[in-house]
Amino acid sequence: MVQKAKILLVDDRPENLLALEAILSALDQTLVRASSGEEALKALLTDDFAVILLDVQMPGMDGFETAAHIKRRERTRDIPIIFLTAINHGPHHTFRGYAAGAVDYISKPFDPWVLRAKVSVFVELYMKNCQLREQAALLRLQLEGGGKAAAGGDAKEPAGLLAELSARLAAVEEQAEALSKQLDDESADAAAVATAAHLERKLTGLRRALDALEPGAGGGAASLPSPN
């Protein structure tokens, strides 16, 4: 079974959280509530999230402060943040949101379909990155197994494992290519397009490393791309 992505919803008003859950429930992912910036930061200590929907105007630690803390942590700095605000204070206020690290800034009331579509893009990118990390981990195991075999170990059917890895990677490559075309067609946010391009570069590096392990390639120990 494919593990569901987690989406963090941060708002001090329960009715707003309920509305977000109603809008995003169709994505069939795990929705996690946080009623304050402090509560959101605690959730981020233990769980990985595909995207954060963050209300700007909250008592105590507001959305801008919360985002600043998120971006300072190495574990969470790359999680996309979509700011939600009930009041449009003009370009300066919007610029402050982007400067705090947001990938998007949406004023309430927002179009539910548009919000759901934007969130779904980042969920898809997150899932593709998870698949890439899994392929990289399998490839590392294969490299270790190949080293044991060369030393007289008991690695089992390396050719079969390579074929399985190649097939799995091909499926991820196909999905990533389709997602990139979708982003181009929809003129998506620059941050989403950049993330998709980063994913494709990692996939290319992983494919080269896998090809180097094929019999007769003469590649020796391949260097794996970082999944981050």
Side-chain angles (χ1 to χ4, degrees):
M1 295 180 61
V2 178
Q3 186 174 2
K4 294 182 179 182
K6 292 184 178 180
I7 303 170
L8 183 58
L9 313 176
V10 189
D11 199 303
D12 62 297
R13 295 179 176 272
E15 63 270 23
N16 290 342
L17 291 171
L18 187 63
L20 288 173
E21 288 176 335
I23 292 170
L24 300 176
S25 60
L27 298 180
D28 193 27
Q29 305 300 324
T30 302
L31 306 177
V32 178
R33 284 188 176 199
S35 58
S36 66
E38 292 86 354
E39 190 174 331
L41 294 176
K42 288 181 181 178
L44 289 162
L45 287 174
T46 54
D47 290 325
D48 294 324
F49 291 91
V51 61
I52 302 169
L53 275 64
L54 180 57
D55 184 42
V56 171
Q57 295 160 306
M58 296 185 294
M61 183 184 296
D62 66 14
F64 296 131
E65 293 177 272
T66 304
H69 283 288
I70 292 172
K71 293 302 177 182
R72 278 198 292 266
R73 293 177 178 177
E74 184 175 356
R75 174 188 172 92
T76 59
R77 65 178 55 167
D78 294 325
I79 302 176
I81 298 174
I82 298 177
F83 272 134
L84 305 176
T85 179
I87 302 176
N88 186 355
H89 292 285
H92 177 73
H93 201 254
T94 303
F95 174 78
R96 187 182 175 192
Y98 286 117
V103 297
D104 210 338
Y105 194 100
I106 302 177
S107 297
K108 304 174 186 177
F110 43 77
D111 185 324
W113 187 91
V114 171
L115 179 64
R116 188 163 51 242
K118 288 177 179 290
V119 171
S120 69
V121 169
F122 290 106
V123 168
E124 286 188 68
L125 289 171
Y126 173 82
M127 298 299 284
K128 298 301 179 293
N129 270 302
C130 288
Q131 288 179 300
L132 178 57
R133 284 194 292 269
E134 290 174 1
Q135 303 310 314
L138 286 171
L139 185 51
R140 286 191 178 91
L141 288 175
Q142 174 57 37
L143 285 170
E144 293 173 0
K148 290 179 180 178
D154 57 353
K156 298 181 180 179
E157 300 182 1
L161 288 174
L162 280 175
E164 181 181 352
L165 283 169
S166 182
R168 291 188 182 187
L169 180 57
V172 179
E173 289 170 330
E174 183 178 350
Q175 293 169 352
E177 182 180 358
L179 180 58
S180 295
K181 289 180 179 179
Q182 177 185 345
L183 292 175
D184 290 339
D185 293 341
E186 296 178 355
S187 300
D189 300 325
V193 174
T195 303
H198 177 75
L199 174 61
E200 287 194 333
R201 288 194 297 272
K202 294 301 181 184
L203 283 170
T204 299
L206 187 55
R207 171 58 69 184
R208 288 174 179 168
L210 187 59
D211 289 344
L213 293 175
E214 292 291 341
S223 176
L224 295 182
S226 169
N228 298 321

